[in-house]
Amino acid sequence: MARPPPLQELPPVYTPPARAASPQILAGSLKAPLWLRAYFQGLLFSLGCGIQRHCGKVLFLGLLAFGALALGLRVAIIETDLEQLWVEVGSRVSQELHYTKEKLGEEAAYTSQMLIQTPHQEGENILTPEALGLHLQAALAASKVSWDLNKICYKSGIPLIENGMIERMIEKLFPCVILTPLDCFWEGAKLQGGSAYLPGRPDIQWTNLDPEQLLKELGPFASLEGFRELLDKAQVGQAYVGRPCLHPDDLHCPPTAPNHHSKQAPNVAQELNGGCHGFSHKFMHWQEELLLGGMARDAQGQLLRAEALQSTFLLMSPRQLYEHFRGDYQTHDIGWSEEQAGTVLRAWQRRFVQLAQEALPQNSSQQIHAFSSTTLDDILHAFSEVSAARVVGGYLLMLAYACVTMLRWDCAQSQGAVGLAGVLLVALAVASGLGLCALLGIAFNAATTQVLPFLALGIGVDDIFLLAHAFTEAPPGTPLQEHTGECLRRTGTSVALTSINHMVAFFMAALVPIPALRAFSLQAAIVVGCNFAAVMLVFPAVLSLDLHRRHCQRLDVLCCFSRYRPCIPTPPGLISSGPITSCPPTSISTDLPPPLSASSSPCSARVIQILPQELGDRTVPVGIAHLTATVQAFAHCDASSQHVVTILPPRAHLVPPPSDPLGSELFSPGGSTRDLLGQEEGTRQKATCNSLPCARWNLAHFARYHFAPLLLQSHSKAMVLVLFGALLGLSLYGATLVQDGLALTDVVPRGTKEHAFLSAQLRYFSLYEVALVTQGGFDYAHSQRALFDLHQRFSSLKAVLPPPATQAPRTWLHYYRNWLQGIQAAFDQDWASGRITRHSCRNGSEDGALAYKLLIQTGDAQEPLDFSQLTTRKLVDKEGLIPPELFYVGLTMWVSSDPLGLAASQANFYPPPPEWLHDKYDTTGENLRIPAAQPLEFAQFPFLLHGLQKTADFVEAIEGARAACTEAGRAGVRAYPSGSPFLFWEQYLGLRRYFLLAICILLVCTFLVCALLLLNPWTAGLIVLVLAMMTVELFGIMGFLGIKLSAIPVVILVASVGIGVEFTVHVALGFLTTQGSRNLRAACALEHTFAPVTDGAVSTLLGLLMLAGSNFDFIIRYFFVVLTVLTLLGLLHGLMLLPVLLSILGPPPEVVQIYKESPEVLSPPAPREGGLRWGLSPTLPQSFARVTTSMTVALHPPPLPGAYIHPASDEPTWSPVATPAASGSNNLSSRGPCPATG
């Protein structure tokens, strides 16, 4: 095949060859990718053209649809229930929680109010009478709310007494459950409200009540033997009046107090050693760990000092309060309901906290921290509220940035109004996406309201910048009606790729089974989808409307005003490469405006693109791409004739381009397959309006002339690889520092009273109430040994707080067995003394009579009683087990006869045993028959966990508890642990596994999506490599910043893969669709993508900036900091590391130029680097100006379906057409170069 002639030997009319496919397009697998991308871009082109033709309709319908979806926000539900937000969906914890609620109901048995007192001076001993006096002062002040504490407090184990007078007195006097260090002293009685009246006596209160003395006084008037036995079993004794007074000089200090007569202050540490008791020494023992924090002991284990005090007030649940006051005279006229009961409780708790915090004077040496369950709910509600000021501020800031960034001195290039409209459109798309989520029933939470509006804004505006940048760079000669189609054809693939990856990333993040984060991920994916629809469908309509404004030369933003700008006529044979102007094509003899100065000459700024002569009369073959080669001509505006004269300088003035930082490569004939139909690759002056020199600088200019030349030098590449390698290595080390966990103190705003309480509680009282729940499905009566073994195994866990050596285990099975042993002992005594016989138990004790009735039970419906068993069986055998046939009958009796023991055990039986009232004098057959309880389906053993400071401690405790339950399951006992540690910390058992699974799946999905849309697995692999590095580095930086790994950072880390695509895919696509060497293609990719990628990063940072103003440190640390680091990492990897990797390891170009290998074309003898550059002849007058012209280079991409293929020839075709001079000086219709005229 003959080689094409050198450029300087080409005749004026030359038809490029239509063959030689091998040097034009890479053979093999790249043909199909080109064809597929061309097909996809053709669809985008048709979509854009259709939108431009109907831009008004599309805009109206789009805004209408998005506005309608946004109305869905009216039905949005904000979820603040911690269990609904943080319990893993479908996990065993979720199933166990469902089982618990199914058996016991939705609400807890009680709610808690807590007071913690610490000294202002850290480390000071708080075990002094003065400090405890201040604690009493705060507790009394806090409890004096409109509703008396005695009315709404939780009271457990109220006994049923047949004596009406005693029953009424007990109802009024029965104490509240208050766990306080004050119970070691007489002053603890002051917290117990209520009073009772007996004739001839002063009001009975706990401050003056001596139960033993009272029973002696009432003994002659009533039969109180059963009540006396109840008090003796509970070891009530003298209650509070037998305890020392903190201040013995108090006038009300009872004479029975040990220090009443001595008037000596008690040794507080000695009294508190071992804990305190409520009014019942047996059933109400408060361990030291519940009351004191920061304890120090001597060598013998005796308490010496402490740094914190804690009191806990238990209140009724809303349902209990409603049932307690239903029908009461105090509530009959206010429409009493369970909802109102809840309102009363919440108001009481808020007032309690407020009064407690204000109880002590400012100059006090102590400080009080108060907290309640309502306080936590209020924090979550405040955490979930939408900050209208921050949302409006963030969007106004983005509006200002978009407007300023897109404003230009040239009104035809300025797009300020487009930027404003784009941001407003994204805002509407975000609102419509959230509205669609609300319509789909996806509940909102704090992450949705606090983070998603800003994150979605930053992500959505990125594509707005990309389309706007591409719209101003339409190829020369693009018809006006095809501008939008051309824009979508060139950028639609990138927008689709980034949006799809964003959605895939957020959908993958939904694999994390935490409801709050799953909802956030789904909402983010839906919002990104709405943004994608708005950018691809509605925003092009905005661009089309702005194109009309630019075509009419109207001012930007103020589009109602136009601006007069002088312009030169465009001859009909010349096609302007600058923006569309309103100047009609004219002949060369058209009169020009009056002569202007040299700097403002209309001729001097004109850019003319000259097509080859032969194309003037011929049709461009289908499938030929127009690629431009840059040469320089000089245009002279003849003032006398007012004609434009174009002169090509002689060959002698070919010089290398000294000002080109990349050498001659960027000025070689180049091209791109970004649109498969021609992407201009040369640098062209595009100014049709005169502007200041500083206004010509932009990010693309910086990338071309400064950033890319510096980055793509060999030593720069090596430095970049070393630096990013060091960053990766440092991040791998930082990844080892990341700890699991998310403490409540991280969520609550710092500097608040709530944060101070939580910090003090975490430091001094890291205690958690948990329960070991036994389910149905096995026989409790025959599994007693396995139940005891389970309790023993659970009690031996490191985190379980052991009971004092003097106290029996607090479980229902132990209490039940001990009670049976007690009544068995009473029966044995009565039987031995003859007070109980085979036929009567009336003369025996209450406990003996109970044992009598239980021993004769057979469990047989036909013959329920057998008196012969009185001496042949025992209620508890030698092994400490209850006979199975008596188990459920005895359970009914124990529940009815030992309410204090049942309350202390916290058994929560389901189904509850039936009520049964004992009367030892009623020996009829009906009274002797005791109904058996139904087989148990729910029961629990209470435990206290302590020493849980770090997440590793929680995980260790959870794993031990689960192991104990698994071991019990092998013995036939179905059990599971329950409590807040298992609800909120068990997720960490599998969190890292979920994280790695989601990241791996997402990287694979990203690779497949990129490979499918880019049609180049090589490039997709490099993108995934960079994304994986970003994720590892972000994870490592979290370790250095002290950010713990929880479900929230996991979601951000998973989403970082999708967000990182925004910074990488544009550069990769630009590299893939550009011709030339790897360095040239990397430079061209940077030139075209540096500005939109940078603008997108800045817009994302501006969107995140509003998060920095949040009141919650949690939002700042876990969202703002992490997402900001992610954005900066994405910017660095996308604009530095990826171009370097592409320049070294990038795939080959999809198309190559016909004459790329022609030394006559690209490497003339004169330039050292083989560049093609016309130098300015020193003999030319200064009034000549440079003009960029272009040549058509034929490429042959694979034909589109239905395209006509022209026959090829082996030799170039020479057309014997007359020279331009023969056509006359005043006729340029042949599209040839303008001849010189005199």
Side-chain angles (χ1 to χ4, degrees):
M1 179 183 297
R3 186 178 58 189
L7 182 62
Q8 64 270 22
E9 298 176 3
L10 290 178
V13 179
Y14 168 67
T15 302
R19 196 175 172 183
S22 58
Q24 299 166 22
I25 300 178
L26 295 178
S29 61
L30 288 183
K31 292 184 178 181
L34 287 173
W35 187 91
L36 289 174
R37 192 178 305 120
Y39 183 80
F40 181 63
Q41 289 178 332
L43 296 178
L44 293 174
F45 178 80
S46 301
L47 175 64
C49 292
I51 292 175
Q52 184 171 349
R53 284 194 303 270
H54 307 285
C55 57
K57 298 176 183 177
V58 171
L59 182 61
F60 174 76
L61 293 177
L63 295 179
L64 185 64
F66 285 122
L69 289 177
L71 293 177
L73 289 172
R74 301 177 59 185
V75 298
I77 299 175
I78 298 180
E79 182 63 70
T80 58
D81 186 354
L82 277 178
E83 293 180 356
Q84 297 296 326
L85 291 174
W86 290 103
V87 177
E88 296 183 30
V89 177
S91 64
R92 60 184 176 186
V93 175
S94 177
Q95 297 171 2
E96 292 162 358
L97 182 63
H98 175 74
Y99 185 85
T100 301
K101 290 184 176 181
E102 179 184 1
K103 302 305 178 184
L104 299 184
E106 292 289 331
E107 63 181 22
Y110 51 80
T111 58
S112 300
Q113 300 278 128
M114 288 168 283
L115 292 181
I116 292 180
Q117 178 178 328
T118 57
H120 278 293
Q121 184 176 354
E122 187 173 350
E124 181 180 344
N125 182 26
I126 203 171
L127 299 184
T128 63
E130 294 74 20
L132 280 171
L134 292 175
H135 195 75
L136 174 64
Q137 177 183 339
L140 288 175
S143 60
K144 301 302 181 183
V145 191
S146 55
W147 280 60
D148 186 66
L149 174 63
N150 190 58
K151 295 180 179 179
I152 64 174
C153 69
Y154 176 72
K155 301 178 180 181
S156 65
I158 302 179
L160 297 177
I161 304 298
E162 291 185 351
N163 189 296
M165 178 186 67
I166 299 298
E167 183 180 10
R168 288 190 296 271
M169 184 176 66
I170 290 177
E171 182 181 355
K172 294 181 179 181
L173 283 177
F174 201 83
C176 301
V177 179
I178 304 175
L179 289 69
T180 174
L182 295 170
D183 273 350
C184 280
F185 307 94
W186 166 77
E187 279 77 4
K190 295 184 177 181
L191 298 180
Q192 300 292 347
S195 61
Y197 172 75
L198 287 177
R201 291 180 57 88
D203 286 349
I204 302 175
Q205 298 177 347
W206 282 104
T207 54
N208 59 17
L209 174 61
D210 183 348
E212 294 179 348
Q213 182 64 31
L214 180 63
L215 289 178
K216 289 180 181 179
E217 295 178 4
L218 296 179
F221 305 101
S223 176
L224 301 176
E225 182 181 353
F227 185 54
R228 182 181 290 105
E229 288 188 8
L230 179 65
L231 295 181
D232 290 340
K233 288 181 182 179
Q235 300 175 9
V236 174
Q238 291 182 306
Y240 289 98
V241 296
R243 303 175 188 181
C245 297
L246 277 173
H247 303 285
D249 53 351
D250 189 328
L251 297 179
H252 299 285
C253 180
T256 53
N259 60 344
H260 173 76
H261 299 290
S262 65
K263 303 298 182 182
Q264 291 182 357
N267 185 333
V268 175
Q270 182 178 349
E271 295 294 336
L272 287 171
N273 188 62
C276 299
H277 298 84
F279 79 95
S280 169
H281 281 253
K282 181 178 180 180
F283 298 118
M284 295 183 176
H285 176 254
W286 322 135
Q287 293 179 244
E288 292 172 329
E289 290 79 2
L290 293 170
L291 309 176
L292 305 176
M295 292 180 287
R297 302 179 184 275
D298 59 14
Q300 288 73 34
Q302 296 298 311
L303 181 65
L304 293 179
R305 60 194 310 276
E307 299 179 14
L309 302 173
Q310 177 176 256
S311 291
T312 304
F313 297 75
L314 302 187
L315 306 180
M316 284 189 278
S317 66
R319 179 174 300 176
Q320 290 173 335
L321 184 62
Y322 166 70
E323 294 292 342
H324 183 72
F325 281 98
R326 185 172 61 174
D328 191 91
Y329 74 94
Q330 301 179 69
T331 58
H332 74 280
D333 59 345
I334 60 173
W336 186 243
S337 64
E338 189 172 339
E339 182 179 355
Q340 282 193 332
T343 303
V344 168
L345 280 174
R346 289 189 293 270
W348 195 96
Q349 289 177 311
R350 294 188 184 101
R351 186 60 176 165
F352 175 93
V353 171
Q354 179 184 358
L355 292 176
Q357 293 170 344
E358 299 173 352
L360 301 186
Q362 295 292 333
N363 59 353
S364 174
S365 62
Q366 307 291 317
Q367 53 185 345
I368 293 291
H369 312 288
F371 198 79
S372 69
S373 56
T374 298
T375 306
L376 181 59
D377 293 338
D378 292 341
I379 291 174
L380 292 175
H381 279 287
F383 190 45
S384 303
E385 289 180 354
V386 180
S387 175
R390 286 196 297 114
V391 172
V392 172
Y395 279 74
L396 288 178
L397 184 62
M398 188 66 72
L399 284 170
Y401 175 76
C403 182
V404 171
T405 302
M406 295 186 178
L407 280 175
R408 297 289 185 272
W409 289 93
D410 182 2
C411 61
Q413 293 279 20
S414 184
Q415 292 181 301
V418 170
L420 294 175
V423 174
L424 293 176
L425 179 62
V426 170
L428 180 61
V430 172
S432 65
L434 293 177
L436 179 59
C437 294
L439 294 175
L440 294 175
I442 303 176
F444 288 24
N445 55 67
T448 305
T449 58
Q450 295 282 339
V451 178
L452 190 54
F454 306 104
L455 178 61
L457 173 65
I459 293 176
V461 173
D462 294 352
D463 294 330
I464 295 293
F465 282 116
L466 182 65
L467 262 68
H469 277 280
F471 197 77
T472 60
E473 297 178 356
T478 303
L480 184 66
Q481 65 273 18
E482 296 181 0
H483 267 61
T484 305
E486 187 67 30
C487 177
L488 284 186
R489 179 165 61 182
R490 297 167 62 200
T491 60
T493 303
S494 295
V495 173
L497 189 58
T498 55
S499 298
I500 291 174
N501 273 284
H502 283 155
M503 288 187 285
V504 170
F506 283 115
F507 279 126
M508 287 299 103
L511 290 176
V512 178
I514 306 300
L517 281 309
R518 177 167 291 182
F520 172 78
S521 302
L522 293 176
Q523 289 163 343
I526 293 174
V527 169
V528 169
C530 290
N531 276 341
F532 178 52
V535 170
M536 292 294 288
L537 299 177
V538 182
F539 187 65
V542 176
L543 292 174
S544 301
L545 292 175
D546 187 68
L547 178 64
H548 180 71
R549 189 269 310 166
R550 293 165 56 194
H551 181 68
C552 296
Q553 296 295 308
R554 295 187 178 275
L555 295 179
D556 191 15
V557 183
L558 304 175
C559 57
C560 296
F561 301 94
S562 60
R563 175 184 177 185
Y564 170 76
R565 297 186 309 159
C567 62
I568 66 169
T570 303
L574 303 182
I575 304 175
S576 172
S577 65
I580 302 298
T581 65
S582 58
C583 300
T586 60
S587 69
I588 196 170
S589 60
T590 304
D591 293 340
L592 296 175
L596 303 175
S597 63
S599 62
S600 61
S601 171
C603 301
S604 64
R606 199 58 195 153
V607 179
I608 303 176
Q609 190 176 58
I610 307 175
L611 298 180
Q613 174 72 21
E614 75 280 7
L615 296 181
D617 301 324
R618 303 187 183 190
T619 303
V620 179
V622 176
I624 291 184
H626 295 265
L627 302 174
T628 62
T630 302
V631 297
Q632 288 198 357
F634 301 90
H636 170 59
C637 183
D638 192 302
S640 60
S641 61
Q642 298 183 349
H643 288 172
V644 178
V645 180
T646 303
I647 300 176
L648 292 178
R651 179 180 177 185
H653 295 289
L654 284 171
V655 295
S659 62
D660 182 12
L662 288 177
S664 62
E665 273 194 304
L666 289 182
F667 295 90
S668 307
S672 167
T673 57
R674 187 172 294 110
D675 55 357
L676 287 187
L677 296 176
Q679 171 64 32
E680 299 295 332
E681 195 52 49
T683 56
R684 305 179 182 88
Q685 304 173 12
K686 295 186 178 181
T688 56
C689 290
N690 298 319
S691 60
L692 297 176
C694 63
R696 300 191 186 103
W697 188 93
N698 53 37
L699 290 175
H701 181 277
F702 169 76
R704 177 186 177 91
Y705 290 101
H706 302 285
F707 183 74
L710 178 62
L711 180 67
L712 297 178
Q713 295 180 13
S714 298
H715 64 275
S716 299
K717 294 180 184 179
M719 185 178 299
V720 168
L721 294 177
V722 170
L723 289 177
F724 277 91
L727 177 60
L728 180 62
L730 194 63
S731 299
L732 289 174
Y733 170 71
T736 63
L737 304 178
V738 178
Q739 299 179 355
D740 294 347
L742 177 63
L744 194 56
T745 52
D746 296 331
V747 179
V748 178
R750 295 183 182 273
T752 61
K753 296 179 179 179
E754 293 80 7
H755 187 274
F757 172 88
L758 293 172
S759 300
Q761 185 187 47
L762 182 63
R763 177 178 179 181
Y764 296 115
F765 301 100
S766 185
L767 288 171
Y768 296 88
E769 293 184 4
V770 299
L772 184 59
V773 175
T774 53
Q775 302 173 259
F778 70 96
D779 189 354
Y780 281 71
H782 290 85
S783 303
Q784 297 176 57
R785 176 58 61 195
L787 288 172
F788 284 121
D789 291 342
L790 173 61
H791 176 267
Q792 179 60 35
R793 193 177 298 112
F794 204 94
S795 300
S796 63
L797 296 179
K798 174 183 175 182
V800 173
L801 181 66
T806 58
Q807 182 181 352
R810 291 189 313 117
T811 69
W812 66 268
L813 194 55
H814 289 88
Y815 281 131
Y816 178 26
R817 184 179 64 178
N818 294 342
W819 179 81
L820 288 176
Q821 290 173 336
I823 64 173
Q824 178 71 60
F827 172 82
D828 292 342
Q829 291 179 1
D830 292 341
W831 183 270
S833 62
R835 291 193 296 269
I836 293 181
T837 64
R838 177 185 177 92
H839 304 288
S840 176
C841 62
R842 293 184 178 183
N843 298 324
S845 63
E846 291 286 338
D847 285 351
L850 287 172
Y852 173 87
K853 294 182 179 180
L854 186 55
L855 286 170
I856 63 176
Q857 305 296 317
T858 64
D860 186 357
Q862 300 297 328
E863 296 182 3
L865 305 177
D866 184 359
F867 293 93
S868 64
Q869 299 178 151
L870 287 172
T871 57
T872 60
R873 73 193 309 182
K874 296 291 184 181
L875 298 179
V876 179
D877 62 20
K878 296 179 180 180
E879 297 181 0
L881 302 179
I882 305 168
E885 62 275 10
L886 293 179
F887 186 86
Y888 285 108
V889 178
L891 190 64
T892 298
M893 183 178 288
W894 174 63
V895 167
S896 300
S897 305
D898 189 17
L900 290 176
L902 176 65
S905 71
Q906 302 179 33
N908 285 332
F909 290 130
Y910 183 86
E915 291 185 1
W916 176 77
L917 188 62
H918 166 62
D919 183 1
K920 72 174 183 178
Y921 299 104
D922 186 357
T923 57
T924 61
E926 189 64 31
N927 185 263
L928 291 177
R929 295 187 182 93
I930 304 173
Q934 298 182 35
L936 293 176
E937 298 179 13
F938 185 96
Q940 62 184 23
F941 299 151
F943 292 94
L944 283 174
L945 301 184
H946 72 121
L948 304 181
Q949 296 287 338
K950 300 180 180 179
T951 302
D953 301 330
F954 286 94
V955 172
E956 181 183 358
I958 292 171
E959 290 176 342
R962 290 295 182 184
C965 293
T966 302
E967 186 67 25
R970 297 189 182 99
V973 175
R974 299 177 58 191
Y976 62 86
S978 176
S980 57
F982 304 97
L983 290 179
F984 306 124
W985 274 272
E986 185 152 346
Q987 59 178 280
Y988 295 103
L989 296 179
L991 183 63
R992 297 205 175 211
R993 183 177 69 253
Y994 283 121
F995 169 52
L996 292 177
L997 176 64
I999 286 292
C1000 292
I1001 294 177
L1002 180 55
L1003 289 175
V1004 173
C1005 292
T1006 302
F1007 174 80
L1008 295 177
V1009 172
C1010 292
L1012 180 64
L1013 293 183
L1014 294 179
L1015 301 168
N1016 192 301
W1018 190 338
T1019 306
L1022 288 177
I1023 291 176
V1024 169
L1025 173 64
V1026 173
L1027 295 176
M1029 289 181 61
M1030 286 175 52
T1031 304
V1032 172
E1033 290 164 6
L1034 179 60
F1035 189 70
I1037 292 174
M1038 285 172 47
F1040 289 115
L1041 294 177
I1043 297 176
K1044 298 178 182 179
L1045 184 67
S1046 63
I1048 292 175
V1050 164
V1051 168
I1052 297 178
L1053 286 166
V1054 174
S1056 68
V1057 177
I1059 296 174
V1061 172
E1062 188 79 39
F1063 301 99
T1064 55
V1065 72
H1066 304 314
V1067 178
L1069 186 60
F1071 177 87
L1072 187 63
T1073 58
T1074 308
Q1075 300 180 67
S1077 66
R1078 286 191 175 101
N1079 274 353
L1080 170 64
R1081 293 157 63 204
C1084 291
L1086 282 174
E1087 179 186 359
H1088 286 285
T1089 60
F1090 190 89
V1093 170
T1094 303
D1095 284 336
V1098 174
S1099 67
T1100 302
L1101 291 175
L1102 288 177
L1104 299 175
L1105 184 61
M1106 290 298 102
L1107 298 179
S1110 174
N1111 296 328
F1112 294 89
D1113 184 67
F1114 169 78
I1115 293 292
I1116 298 174
R1117 284 174 53 82
Y1118 283 81
F1119 283 99
F1120 171 71
V1121 173
V1122 176
L1123 289 173
T1124 299
V1125 171
L1126 169 61
T1127 304
L1128 296 177
L1129 286 176
L1131 193 62
L1132 292 176
H1133 286 73
L1135 297 182
M1136 292 184 65
L1137 178 61
L1138 183 59
V1140 169
L1141 292 178
L1142 290 172
S1143 69
I1144 299 174
L1145 304 173
E1150 293 179 333
V1151 296
V1152 295
Q1153 300 172 131
I1154 293 177
Y1155 300 120
K1156 182 66 178 176
E1157 304 301 329
S1158 175
E1160 291 85 356
V1161 176
L1162 298 180
S1163 302
R1168 176 178 304 177
E1169 299 180 5
L1172 179 61
R1173 183 83 174 194
W1174 292 96
L1176 181 62
S1177 172
T1179 61
L1180 293 176
Q1182 295 297 321
S1183 60
F1184 284 84
R1186 295 182 179 182
V1187 177
T1188 300
T1189 65
S1190 65
M1191 298 183 61
T1192 300
V1193 180
L1195 297 179
H1196 290 264
L1200 298 179
Y1204 171 71
I1205 309 300
H1206 287 263
S1209 60
D1210 293 335
E1211 301 294 335
T1213 302
W1214 297 83
S1215 301
V1217 183
T1219 60
S1223 301
S1225 60
N1226 295 332
N1227 186 2
L1228 294 178
S1229 62
S1230 64
R1231 299 194 184 189
C1234 181
T1237 57

